[in-house]
Protein backbone atom coordinates (compact mmCIF):
# COMPACT_ATOMS: atom_id res chain seq x y z
CA UNK A 1 0.00 0.00 0.00
CA UNK A 2 1.10 3.56 -0.66
CA UNK A 3 1.26 6.10 2.17
CA UNK A 4 -1.89 7.69 0.78
CA UNK A 5 -3.72 4.35 0.80
CA UNK A 6 -2.56 3.64 4.33
CA UNK A 7 -3.76 7.00 5.61
CA UNK A 8 -7.14 6.68 3.87
CA UNK A 9 -7.59 3.27 5.49
CA UNK A 10 -6.78 4.79 8.89
CA UNK A 11 -9.22 7.60 8.15
CA UNK A 12 -12.05 5.21 7.31
CA UNK A 13 -11.39 3.18 10.45
CA UNK A 14 -11.30 6.35 12.56
CA UNK A 15 -14.57 7.59 11.09
CA UNK A 16 -16.28 4.27 11.92
CA UNK A 17 -14.83 4.28 15.42
CA UNK A 18 -15.85 7.90 16.00
CA UNK A 19 -19.52 6.98 15.67
CA UNK A 20 -19.12 4.36 18.40
CA UNK A 21 -17.17 6.73 20.64
CA UNK A 22 -19.76 9.51 20.26
CA UNK A 23 -22.47 7.21 21.62
CA UNK A 24 -20.55 6.11 24.73
CA UNK A 25 -21.52 7.08 28.26
CA UNK A 26 -19.09 8.72 30.66
CA UNK A 27 -18.50 5.50 32.59
CA UNK A 28 -17.46 3.60 29.48
CA UNK A 29 -14.98 6.29 28.47
CA UNK A 30 -13.54 6.49 31.97
CA UNK A 31 -13.14 2.70 32.06
CA UNK A 32 -11.14 2.89 28.83
CA UNK A 33 -8.85 5.58 30.25
CA UNK A 34 -8.25 3.57 33.42
CA UNK A 35 -7.54 0.45 31.35
CA UNK A 36 -4.97 2.33 29.24
CA UNK A 37 -3.34 3.63 32.42
CA UNK A 38 -3.04 0.06 33.73
CA UNK A 39 -1.62 -1.13 30.42
CA UNK A 40 1.08 1.57 30.49
CA UNK A 41 1.93 0.68 34.09
CA UNK A 42 2.29 -2.99 33.11
CA UNK A 43 4.44 -2.13 30.07
CA UNK A 44 6.99 0.12 31.81
CA UNK A 45 9.94 -2.06 30.78
CA UNK A 46 8.86 -2.25 27.13
CA UNK A 47 8.29 1.51 26.99
CA UNK A 48 11.67 2.20 28.58
CA UNK A 49 13.41 -0.14 26.12
CA UNK A 50 11.72 1.51 23.13
CA UNK A 51 12.59 4.95 24.49
CA UNK A 52 16.24 3.91 24.93
CA UNK A 53 16.34 3.01 21.22
CA UNK A 54 14.99 6.45 20.31
CA UNK A 55 17.48 8.19 22.60
CA UNK A 56 20.39 6.24 21.13
CA UNK A 57 19.29 7.10 17.60
CA UNK A 58 18.84 10.73 18.62
CA UNK A 59 22.39 10.94 19.96
CA UNK A 60 23.72 9.31 16.79
CA UNK A 61 21.77 11.85 14.71
CA UNK A 62 23.11 14.80 16.68
CA UNK A 63 19.96 15.88 18.57
CA UNK A 64 20.82 18.64 21.02
CA UNK A 65 20.51 18.23 24.78
CA UNK A 66 17.17 20.05 24.99
CA UNK A 67 15.52 17.79 22.39
CA UNK A 68 16.97 14.69 24.01
CA UNK A 69 15.52 15.81 27.32
CA UNK A 70 12.08 16.26 25.76
CA UNK A 71 12.39 12.83 24.17
CA UNK A 72 13.36 10.95 27.33
CA UNK A 73 10.73 8.96 29.23
CA UNK A 74 12.03 8.73 32.77
CA UNK A 75 10.16 6.62 35.35
CA UNK A 76 8.70 9.87 36.68
CA UNK A 77 7.43 10.83 33.23
CA UNK A 78 5.82 7.41 32.80
CA UNK A 79 4.20 8.01 36.19
CA UNK A 80 3.02 11.35 34.80
CA UNK A 81 1.39 9.68 31.80
CA UNK A 82 -0.50 7.29 34.08
CA UNK A 83 -1.55 10.09 36.43
CA UNK A 84 -2.63 12.22 33.46
CA UNK A 85 -4.95 9.49 32.19
CA UNK A 86 -6.46 9.11 35.63
CA UNK A 87 -6.92 12.87 35.96
CA UNK A 88 -8.73 13.10 32.61
CA UNK A 89 -10.98 10.24 33.71
CA UNK A 90 -11.91 12.32 36.76
CA UNK A 91 -12.82 15.42 34.72
CA UNK A 92 -16.46 16.31 34.03
CA UNK A 93 -17.70 14.98 30.70
CA UNK A 94 -18.89 17.80 28.42
CA UNK A 95 -20.58 15.50 25.88
CA UNK A 96 -24.38 15.55 25.95
CA UNK A 97 -24.59 18.68 28.07
CA UNK A 98 -27.70 20.71 27.15
CA UNK A 99 -27.70 24.48 27.61
CA UNK A 100 -29.80 27.54 26.75
CA UNK A 101 -33.03 25.53 26.57
CA UNK A 102 -35.91 27.99 26.18
CA UNK A 103 -39.54 27.93 25.11
CA UNK A 104 -40.34 29.79 21.90
CA UNK A 105 -43.70 31.51 21.21
CA UNK A 106 -44.64 28.54 19.02
CA UNK A 107 -44.40 26.22 22.04
CA UNK A 108 -41.27 24.37 20.96
CA UNK A 109 -38.15 24.31 23.15
CA UNK A 110 -34.85 25.27 21.52
CA UNK A 111 -31.45 24.63 23.09
CA UNK A 112 -27.93 23.45 22.41
CA UNK A 113 -26.27 20.09 23.01
CA UNK A 114 -22.51 19.59 23.24
CA UNK A 115 -21.24 16.88 20.88
CA UNK A 116 -17.83 15.46 19.80
CA UNK A 117 -16.06 16.90 16.77
CA UNK A 118 -15.61 13.41 15.26
CA UNK A 119 -12.09 12.50 14.10
CA UNK A 120 -9.16 14.58 15.35
CA UNK A 121 -5.72 14.43 13.78
CA UNK A 122 -2.86 15.51 16.05
CA UNK A 123 0.65 16.12 14.74
CA UNK A 124 3.39 16.66 17.30
CA UNK A 125 7.15 16.54 17.81
CA UNK A 126 9.66 15.13 20.28
CA UNK A 127 7.65 14.45 23.45
CA UNK A 128 6.27 10.87 23.33
CA UNK A 129 4.12 11.43 26.42
CA UNK A 130 1.92 13.61 24.17
CA UNK A 131 0.70 10.32 22.67
CA UNK A 132 -1.02 9.40 25.92
CA UNK A 133 -2.14 12.98 26.65
CA UNK A 134 -3.73 13.46 23.24
CA UNK A 135 -5.38 10.05 23.28
CA UNK A 136 -6.91 10.68 26.70
CA UNK A 137 -8.43 14.03 25.78
CA UNK A 138 -9.82 12.78 22.48
CA UNK A 139 -11.33 9.68 24.09
CA UNK A 140 -12.91 11.53 27.01
CA UNK A 141 -14.50 14.04 24.61
CA UNK A 142 -15.99 11.18 22.57
CA UNK A 143 -13.74 11.56 19.53
CA UNK A 144 -11.57 9.17 17.55
CA UNK A 145 -7.95 10.20 16.96
CA UNK A 146 -5.17 9.75 14.45
CA UNK A 147 -1.84 10.66 16.06
CA UNK A 148 1.37 11.36 14.18
CA UNK A 149 4.40 11.88 16.41
CA UNK A 150 7.90 12.94 15.45
CA UNK A 151 10.25 10.50 13.73
CA UNK A 152 12.72 10.85 16.60
CA UNK A 153 10.17 9.22 18.96
CA UNK A 154 8.85 6.49 16.64
CA UNK A 155 9.67 3.51 18.89
CA UNK A 156 8.41 5.20 22.07
CA UNK A 157 5.17 6.27 20.40
CA UNK A 158 4.51 2.77 19.06
CA UNK A 159 5.13 1.23 22.50
CA UNK A 160 2.58 3.63 24.01
CA UNK A 161 0.22 2.94 21.10
CA UNK A 162 0.36 -0.77 21.95
CA UNK A 163 -0.84 0.07 25.47
CA UNK A 164 -3.66 2.25 24.15
CA UNK A 165 -4.86 -0.52 21.83
CA UNK A 166 -4.64 -3.06 24.63
CA UNK A 167 -6.58 -0.85 27.02
CA UNK A 168 -9.35 -0.15 24.50
CA UNK A 169 -9.69 -3.81 23.56
CA UNK A 170 -9.86 -4.87 27.22
CA UNK A 171 -13.07 -2.88 27.70
CA UNK A 172 -14.59 -3.87 24.39
CA UNK A 173 -13.99 -0.66 22.46
CA UNK A 174 -12.55 -0.44 18.93
CA UNK A 175 -8.75 -0.30 18.88
CA UNK A 176 -9.08 2.04 15.90
CA UNK A 177 -10.50 4.76 18.17
CA UNK A 178 -6.87 5.85 18.60
CA UNK A 179 -4.44 5.11 15.80
CA UNK A 180 -0.78 6.12 15.91
CA UNK A 181 0.84 6.50 12.49
CA UNK A 182 3.61 3.90 12.24
CA UNK A 183 5.64 5.47 9.42
CA UNK A 184 8.16 8.29 9.67
CA UNK A 185 7.50 9.29 6.05
CA UNK A 186 6.46 12.96 5.93
CA UNK A 187 3.96 12.11 3.21
CA UNK A 188 1.75 10.75 6.01
CA UNK A 189 1.34 14.29 7.36
CA UNK A 190 0.46 15.61 3.92
CA UNK A 191 -2.21 12.93 3.57
CA UNK A 192 -3.62 13.40 7.09
CA UNK A 193 -4.20 17.13 6.65
CA UNK A 194 -5.92 16.72 3.28
CA UNK A 195 -8.57 14.11 4.15
CA UNK A 196 -11.67 16.17 5.02
CA UNK A 197 -13.91 13.17 4.32
CA UNK A 198 -12.32 11.32 7.24
CA UNK A 199 -10.71 13.96 9.50
CA UNK A 200 -12.69 16.83 11.03
CA UNK A 201 -9.97 18.82 12.79
CA UNK A 202 -6.16 18.85 12.85
CA UNK A 203 -4.20 20.08 15.86
CA UNK A 204 -0.47 20.71 15.24
CA UNK A 205 1.79 20.81 18.29
CA UNK A 206 5.35 21.77 17.51
CA UNK A 207 7.62 24.43 16.12
CA UNK A 208 6.58 27.39 14.01
CA UNK A 209 7.79 25.73 10.80
CA UNK A 210 5.56 22.69 11.33
CA UNK A 211 2.50 24.80 12.14
CA UNK A 212 3.06 27.15 9.20
CA UNK A 213 3.32 24.20 6.81
CA UNK A 214 0.15 22.59 8.13
CA UNK A 215 -1.78 25.86 8.11
CA UNK A 216 -0.70 26.48 4.52
CA UNK A 217 -1.37 23.03 3.11
CA UNK A 218 -4.32 21.69 5.12
CA UNK A 219 -7.78 21.27 3.64
CA UNK A 220 -8.99 20.17 7.08
CA UNK A 221 -9.83 22.75 9.77
CA UNK A 222 -6.75 23.52 11.88
CA UNK A 223 -6.71 24.54 15.57
CA UNK A 224 -3.39 26.31 16.06
CA UNK A 225 -1.20 29.12 17.24
CA UNK A 226 2.01 30.12 15.47
CA UNK A 227 3.78 32.35 17.99
CA UNK A 228 3.59 33.40 21.59
CA UNK A 229 4.58 37.06 21.35
CA UNK A 230 3.13 38.05 24.71
CA UNK A 231 3.15 41.53 26.26
CA UNK A 232 2.92 43.02 29.72
CA UNK A 233 1.97 46.71 29.82
CA UNK A 234 2.76 48.62 33.02
CA UNK A 235 0.28 51.49 33.16
CA UNK A 236 0.90 54.90 34.70
CA UNK A 237 -1.49 53.86 37.51
CA UNK A 238 0.21 50.51 38.23
CA UNK A 239 1.15 49.47 41.76
CA UNK A 240 4.95 49.31 41.82
CA UNK A 241 5.19 46.01 43.71
CA UNK A 242 2.74 44.28 41.37
CA UNK A 243 4.51 45.65 38.29
CA UNK A 244 7.87 44.32 39.42
CA UNK A 245 6.62 40.88 40.46
CA UNK A 246 4.51 40.34 37.32
CA UNK A 247 7.19 41.52 34.88
CA UNK A 248 9.89 39.31 36.40
CA UNK A 249 7.63 36.26 36.69
CA UNK A 250 6.16 36.61 33.20
CA UNK A 251 9.66 36.52 31.71
CA UNK A 252 11.74 34.31 33.97
CA UNK A 253 9.36 31.64 35.33
CA UNK A 254 10.16 29.66 32.16
CA UNK A 255 11.82 30.90 29.00
CA UNK A 256 10.77 28.32 26.44
CA UNK A 257 6.98 28.46 26.75
CA UNK A 258 4.45 30.14 24.48
CA UNK A 259 2.94 32.17 27.35
CA UNK A 260 6.24 33.78 28.39
CA UNK A 261 6.40 37.58 28.06
CA UNK A 262 8.55 38.67 25.10
CA UNK A 263 7.90 42.44 25.19
CA UNK A 264 7.56 44.73 28.20
CA UNK A 265 5.71 48.00 27.64
CA UNK A 266 5.86 50.72 30.29
CA UNK A 267 4.14 54.08 30.52
CA UNK A 268 6.54 56.99 30.09
CA UNK A 269 5.36 58.61 33.34
CA UNK A 270 6.52 55.56 35.36
CA UNK A 271 9.53 54.40 33.35
CA UNK A 272 12.18 56.39 35.25
CA UNK A 273 10.80 55.11 38.55
CA UNK A 274 10.16 51.45 37.74
CA UNK A 275 12.34 50.37 34.84
CA UNK A 276 15.74 50.39 36.63
CA UNK A 277 14.52 48.02 39.35
CA UNK A 278 12.81 45.69 36.88
CA UNK A 279 15.89 45.68 34.65
CA UNK A 280 18.15 44.93 37.60
CA UNK A 281 16.15 41.88 38.63
CA UNK A 282 15.85 40.59 35.06
CA UNK A 283 19.56 41.07 34.34
CA UNK A 284 20.43 39.35 37.63
CA UNK A 285 18.65 36.30 36.21
CA UNK A 286 20.64 36.50 32.99
CA UNK A 287 18.04 38.19 30.77
CA UNK A 288 19.38 40.24 27.85
CA UNK A 289 17.42 43.47 27.41
CA UNK A 290 16.79 45.13 24.06
CA UNK A 291 15.07 48.48 24.26
CA UNK A 292 13.82 51.56 22.47
CA UNK A 293 15.74 54.83 22.65
CA UNK A 294 13.83 56.02 25.74
CA UNK A 295 14.41 52.70 27.54
CA UNK A 296 18.15 52.83 26.81
CA UNK A 297 18.35 56.35 28.18
CA UNK A 298 17.12 54.96 31.51
CA UNK A 299 19.04 51.64 31.51
CA UNK A 300 22.40 52.40 29.96
CA UNK A 301 23.60 48.84 29.24
CA UNK A 302 20.42 47.86 27.35
CA UNK A 303 20.96 46.87 23.71
CA UNK A 304 19.09 48.63 20.91
CA UNK A 305 15.81 47.10 19.72
CA UNK A 306 14.31 47.41 16.25
CA UNK A 307 11.08 46.29 14.59
CA UNK A 308 12.34 42.72 14.29
CA UNK A 309 12.44 42.48 18.09
CA UNK A 310 8.79 43.48 18.45
CA UNK A 311 7.96 40.64 16.01
CA UNK A 312 10.10 37.94 17.65
CA UNK A 313 9.17 35.10 19.99
CA UNK A 314 12.56 34.62 21.63
CA UNK A 315 11.84 31.51 23.73
CA UNK A 316 15.08 32.51 25.45
CA UNK A 317 16.35 34.88 28.19
CA UNK A 318 15.92 37.91 25.92
CA UNK A 319 13.31 40.65 26.41
CA UNK A 320 12.38 43.67 24.29
CA UNK A 321 11.39 46.82 26.18
CA UNK A 322 9.47 49.85 24.95
CA UNK A 323 8.41 53.05 26.69
CA UNK A 324 4.96 54.17 25.49
CA UNK A 325 2.98 57.36 25.97
CA UNK A 326 0.09 55.62 27.68
CA UNK A 327 -2.76 53.18 27.24
CA UNK A 328 -3.62 54.23 23.67
CA UNK A 329 -0.09 53.61 22.44
CA UNK A 330 0.20 50.35 24.40
CA UNK A 331 -2.98 48.92 22.89
CA UNK A 332 -1.93 50.04 19.41
CA UNK A 333 1.49 48.41 19.80
CA UNK A 334 0.00 45.15 21.09
CA UNK A 335 -2.60 44.90 18.36
CA UNK A 336 0.11 45.53 15.75
CA UNK A 337 2.80 43.16 17.04
CA UNK A 338 1.07 40.63 19.31
CA UNK A 339 0.50 37.07 18.07
CA UNK A 340 -2.92 37.23 19.77
CA UNK A 341 -1.86 34.69 22.38
CA UNK A 342 -1.70 36.39 25.79
CA UNK A 343 -1.32 40.03 26.84
CA UNK A 344 -1.56 41.67 30.26
CA UNK A 345 -1.98 45.09 31.86
CA UNK A 346 -0.79 46.13 35.31
CA UNK A 347 -3.00 48.94 36.61
CA UNK A 348 -5.10 50.02 39.57
CA UNK A 349 -7.50 51.92 37.30
CA UNK A 350 -10.71 49.95 36.77
CA UNK A 351 -11.77 51.84 33.66
CA UNK A 352 -8.41 51.32 31.98
CA UNK A 353 -8.41 47.62 32.80
CA UNK A 354 -11.88 47.22 31.30
CA UNK A 355 -10.82 49.07 28.18
CA UNK A 356 -7.72 46.88 27.85
CA UNK A 357 -9.88 43.76 28.15
CA UNK A 358 -12.23 45.02 25.42
CA UNK A 359 -9.72 46.37 22.93
CA UNK A 360 -6.77 43.98 23.05
CA UNK A 361 -7.52 41.30 20.45
CA UNK A 362 -5.86 38.23 21.97
CA UNK A 363 -7.07 34.80 23.05
CA UNK A 364 -6.20 35.55 26.69
CA UNK A 365 -6.22 39.09 28.11
CA UNK A 366 -5.19 39.62 31.73
CA UNK A 367 -5.34 42.29 34.42
CA UNK A 368 -2.71 42.33 37.17
CA UNK A 369 -1.54 38.76 36.51
CA UNK A 370 1.44 37.08 34.87
CA UNK A 371 1.03 35.82 31.31
CA UNK A 372 2.34 32.47 32.57
CA UNK A 373 -1.19 31.69 33.80
CA UNK A 374 -2.38 31.16 30.19
CA UNK A 375 -2.58 27.40 30.53
CA UNK A 376 -5.35 24.83 30.50
CA UNK A 377 -4.53 23.51 33.96
CA UNK A 378 -4.41 27.00 35.48
CA UNK A 379 -7.74 27.84 33.83
CA UNK A 380 -9.39 24.84 35.44
CA UNK A 381 -9.68 22.81 32.23
CA UNK A 382 -7.79 19.92 33.83
CA UNK A 383 -5.66 19.42 30.74
CA UNK A 384 -5.21 20.94 27.32
CA UNK A 385 -4.50 19.76 23.79
CA UNK A 386 -2.89 23.09 22.90
CA UNK A 387 -3.50 26.82 22.59
CA UNK A 388 -5.64 28.33 19.85
CA UNK A 389 -5.32 31.89 18.57
CA UNK A 390 -8.05 31.30 16.00
CA UNK A 391 -11.31 33.20 16.32
CA UNK A 392 -13.76 30.49 15.27
CA UNK A 393 -14.68 27.59 17.59
CA UNK A 394 -11.98 27.12 20.24
CA UNK A 395 -9.86 30.10 21.36
CA UNK A 396 -7.20 30.10 24.06
CA UNK A 397 -6.29 26.89 25.93
CA UNK A 398 -8.17 23.98 24.33
CA UNK A 399 -9.43 21.40 26.81
CA UNK A 400 -12.21 18.82 26.61
CA UNK A 401 -14.86 21.40 25.76
CA UNK A 402 -12.68 22.70 22.92
CA UNK A 403 -12.72 19.21 21.39
CA UNK A 404 -16.50 19.37 21.15
CA UNK A 405 -18.97 21.65 19.38
CA UNK A 406 -22.63 22.44 19.89
CA UNK A 407 -25.65 21.56 17.82
CA UNK A 408 -29.13 22.97 18.15
CA UNK A 409 -31.80 20.68 19.55
CA UNK A 410 -35.55 21.26 19.31
CA UNK A 411 -38.10 19.61 21.61
CA UNK A 412 -41.73 19.52 20.59
CA UNK A 413 -44.90 17.52 21.22
CA UNK A 414 -46.47 17.25 17.83
CA UNK A 415 -45.85 20.89 17.03
CA UNK A 416 -46.27 22.02 13.42
CA UNK A 417 -45.35 25.39 11.99
CA UNK A 418 -48.43 27.52 11.23
Amino acid sequence: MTIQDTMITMGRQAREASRIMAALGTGEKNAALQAIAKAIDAARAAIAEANARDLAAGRDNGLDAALLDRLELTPARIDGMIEGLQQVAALPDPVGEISDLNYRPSGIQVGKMRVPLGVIGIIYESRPNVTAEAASLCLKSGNAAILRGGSEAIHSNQAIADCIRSGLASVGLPETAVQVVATTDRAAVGALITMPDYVDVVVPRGGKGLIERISRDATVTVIKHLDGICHVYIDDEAAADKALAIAVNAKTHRYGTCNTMETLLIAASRAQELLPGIAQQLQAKGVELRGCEQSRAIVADMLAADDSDWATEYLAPILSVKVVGGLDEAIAHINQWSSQHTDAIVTENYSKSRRFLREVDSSSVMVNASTRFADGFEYGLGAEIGISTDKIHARGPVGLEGLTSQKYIVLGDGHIRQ
Side-chain angles (χ1 to χ4, degrees), residues 208-354:
K208 185 176 180 180
L210 170 72
I211 297 172
E212 282 182 332
R213 177 211 164 181
I214 290 169
S215 300
R216 181 184 66 245
D217 297 342
T219 58
V220 174
T221 300
V222 180
I223 297 177
K224 66 186 185 302
H225 82 272
L226 287 174
D227 297 292
I229 304 175
C230 304
H231 299 75
V232 171
Y233 165 56
I234 298 174
D235 182 52
D236 53 10
E237 295 185 68
D241 57 339
K242 294 178 187 177
L244 176 64
I246 289 169
V248 173
N249 180 264
K251 184 61 201 177
T252 66
H253 184 256
R254 282 185 68 187
Y255 295 117
T257 57
C258 60
N259 56 13
T260 296
M261 173 180 66
E262 303 292 20
T263 298
L264 175 66
L265 305 174
I266 185 166
S269 63
R270 302 296 298 280
Q272 192 71 48
E273 170 198 353
L274 299 177
L275 192 52
I278 293 171
Q280 182 181 24
Q281 288 211 19
L282 290 170
Q283 289 172 327
K285 293 177 179 288
V287 177
E288 175 187 303
L289 302 179
R290 302 178 184 179
C292 65
E293 192 173 322
Q294 288 175 274
S295 302
R296 297 179 70 217
I298 297 169
V299 180
D301 57 350
M302 193 180 294
L303 301 176
D306 57 29
D307 282 356
S308 67
D309 290 294
W310 313 135
T312 298
E313 181 185 24
Y314 298 115
L315 297 173
I318 303 171
L319 178 69
S320 56
V321 182
K322 183 176 176 65
V323 175
V324 294
L327 182 61
D328 286 345
E329 189 178 342
I331 291 173
H333 180 98
I334 291 170
N335 284 340
Q336 179 179 358
W337 298 104
S338 168
S339 61
Q340 300 183 319
H341 189 298
T342 303
D343 298 292
I345 184 174
V346 184
T347 186
E348 296 302 300
N349 185 300
Y350 175 81
S351 296
K352 288 182 178 178
S353 67
R354 296 289 292 183

